[in-house]
Amino acid sequence: MARAGFEHRLFLECLLDSSGHKPTKAEPVDVRELEAKDADAFVAFRQGPSVDLFHARLQCGQRCFAAFIESRLASVSWAVEDQATLWALNADFRVEDGTAYIFDSYTHPEFRGKRLQSSIFQRIFEYCRDKNVGKVVTFVAATNTANLRSRTRLGFAVTGAVRRLRFGPLVWYLSTGGAPELERHGSRK
């Protein structure tokens, strides 16, 4: 039997140099960028990615920002400014110049509801401004209303959508609005 499926992600943008970006009230926490020495702590926290994947991400210019509560890793988000992969749809896309893409955000269940991602995003926004990056983009599952609410509070607006239709080995992508064109992961030469 062939595998079939349909997935839908919303594309959100936040302009950092305009009234679009709204700083939000967040829990006072320690937010910092993770380094290679943090690999074991990240893998134990995230329980999925390997140490090798963590190092590979750092080596290709991806950055991991993390919130700590009482020295415990509580929440993370990754950011990149070049070529990116939307892992949920197994698709690659090019990040526009002057733009950062935030992805793979996760908060440990024990710390949810404390707006830790708001604190992390504020730190990412500071990093982006220092690098003269004026826009931040992300994808949110169309059914994830909590994540969508969180991003909207931070000043993100839905500007497009991507859809993937899969039937066995055949895959089609449809990008609408301001969403980037997607290519099947690894198909770019």
Side-chain angles (χ1 to χ4, degrees):
M1 180 111 163
R3 283 188 354 210
F6 174 79
E7 297 183 56
H8 181 204
R9 297 286 189 274
L10 300 175
F11 182 70
L12 292 83
E13 296 182 351
C14 181
L15 300 177
L16 300 180
D17 59 353
S18 75
S19 60
H21 169 245
K22 305 175 229 169
T24 64
K25 202 95 163 134
E27 292 273 327
V29 295
D30 175 30
V31 177
R32 67 176 174 85
E33 189 173 342
L34 295 184
E35 301 171 2
K37 67 180 177 157
D38 299 311
D40 290 332
F42 173 82
V43 169
F45 165 75
R46 196 60 171 97
Q47 298 180 351
S50 67
V51 170
D52 290 340
L53 177 60
F54 179 83
H55 287 294
R57 282 181 168 186
L58 292 180
Q59 288 172 350
C60 71
Q62 297 177 10
R63 301 185 174 290
C64 186
F65 295 85
F68 292 82
I69 294 181
E70 297 176 7
S71 301
R72 287 184 55 204
L73 188 51
S75 187
V76 297
S77 280
W78 287 83
V80 67
E81 300 169 49
D82 190 8
Q83 185 65 29
T85 300
L86 175 53
W87 291 108
L89 300 184
N90 194 34
D92 295 328
F93 66 97
R94 187 185 173 294
V95 178
E96 293 178 357
D97 292 339
T99 302
Y101 167 56
I102 299 176
F103 64 102
D104 201 9
S105 299
Y106 175 77
T107 300
H108 188 280
E110 179 182 343
F111 299 110
R112 291 183 183 158
K114 297 182 179 295
R115 296 198 176 168
L116 297 177
Q117 283 292 313
S118 293
S119 296
I120 291 173
F121 274 51
Q122 295 300 332
R123 176 64 191 95
I124 292 172
F125 293 165
E126 290 170 15
Y127 169 83
C128 289
R129 281 190 203 93
D130 290 347
K131 297 288 231 172
N132 293 317
V133 170
K135 180 168 62 172
V136 178
V137 300
T138 192
F139 287 95
V140 173
T143 57
N144 191 339
T145 56
N147 195 333
L148 188 56
R149 241 186 342 268
S150 169
R151 301 305 179 250
T152 302
R153 262 194 311 270
L154 288 163
F156 282 86
V158 176
T159 60
V162 295
R163 292 165 181 86
R164 177 181 73 171
L165 176 62
R166 182 183 70 234
F167 187 74
L170 303 174
V171 177
W172 294 271
Y173 296 103
L174 173 65
S175 297
T176 59
E181 293 297 318
L182 302 180
E183 295 180 8
R184 193 171 194 163
H185 177 63
S187 67
R188 188 173 291 199
K189 300 210 185 254

